[in-house]
Amino acid sequence: AQKITQTQPGMFVQEKEAVTLDCTYDTSDPSYGLFWYKQPSSGEMIFLIYQGSYDQQNATEGRYSLNFQKARKSANLVISASQLGDSAMYFCAMREGGGGFKTIFGAGTRLFVKA
Amino acid sequence: DTGVSQNPRHKITKRGQNVTFRCDPISEHNRLYWYRQTLGQGPEFLTYFQNEAQLEKSRLLSDRFSAERPKGSFSTLEIQRTEQGDSAMYLCASSLVGGGADTQYFGPGTRLTVL
């Protein structure tokens, strides 16, 4: 069965520093996709970055990068040069491939950026 | 380019009443998803549509819940005989299948409070 684990309920980072948010997953399907979403206090889920299981390189989107370690089944999000506006909940999610539709989410990590 | 919209944004109702929520997906997206999110948790999958066909329903979706997407565009989620346990944020997302990552883009959600 699919499972997503985020072990850090809360994280603090100093403004302009980098931070890594952990995510491990479990699936028996060789084809899957991994996603990270940001949820500010307003409630909207904002898509940040995607990594496919067959992608050879780690995904990057601006200040976001995904540290994909397939053998360890981890997909950590790295945010470089943190900004105050990065304070939010961050969710890791996975969708199994083969035309799969169901996406499961982790419990989230709340990031606090300190000035 | 408009994103996913949901109405209403907030709904307060008394136990036993029926409520209906609406979701308008991104116009060219053919998949539409409903999720429920309770405080401190990640979103939980409820159901999804490909065009007008409802292809999967979670076991979380009791028979008091019904969802429709009559013309393959907007969708409605109805909860009959609401219970206090139905209080949650109801999120809608849409995606374009065949677009590679099939990334789901979320609306702002409808927060339901059942008194």
Side-chain angles (χ1 to χ4, degrees), chain A residues 19-79:
Chain A
V19 64
T20 298
L21 306 183
D22 294 342
C23 173
T24 58
Y25 60 91
D26 191 20
T27 179
S28 56
D29 194 327
S31 175
Y32 51 89
L34 296 158
F35 304 80
W36 277 92
Y37 287 86
K38 172 184 179 182
Q39 188 175 43
S41 55
S42 59
E44 186 166 353
M45 298 282 285
I46 302 168
F47 166 70
L48 296 178
I49 197 167
Y50 165 80
Q51 179 85 42
S53 59
Y54 295 119
D55 293 343
Q56 295 296 310
Q57 293 189 321
N58 288 344
T60 59
E61 289 286 348
R63 294 187 298 110
Y64 305 107
S65 60
L66 199 153
N67 184 1
F68 182 45
Q69 298 188 38
K70 195 169 182 177
R72 296 179 61 183
K73 293 189 175 179
S74 75
N76 299 339
L77 177 70
V78 180
I79 305 174

Side-chain angles (χ1 to χ4, degrees), chain B residues 5-52:
Chain B
S5 62
Q6 292 186 246
N7 287 288
R9 295 291 307 275
H10 302 273
K11 179 71 177 178
I12 301 174
T13 191
K14 293 182 179 179
R15 188 177 55 181
Q17 297 294 305
N18 298 344
V19 294
T20 300
F21 310 142
R22 175 175 170 131
C23 171
D24 288 87
I26 294 171
S27 59
E28 65 270 24
H29 284 186
N30 46 15
R31 280 187 174 174
L32 186 147
Y33 310 77
W34 285 99
Y35 291 84
R36 181 171 67 189
Q37 185 180 23
T38 53
L39 202 61
Q41 301 296 319
E44 296 174 293
F45 169 81
L46 292 178
T47 189
Y48 102 104
F49 294 82
Q50 182 149 329
N51 300 312
E52 66 275 10

Side-chain angles (χ1 to χ4, degrees), chain A residues 37 39 47 91 95 99 101 103, chain B residues 37 42 48 56 101-102 104:
Chain A
Y37 287 86
Q39 188 175 43
F47 166 70
F91 291 96
R95 188 194 69 242
F101 55 88
T103 300
Chain B
Q37 185 180 23
Y48 102 104
E56 184 70 18
D102 193 14
Q104 294 177 31

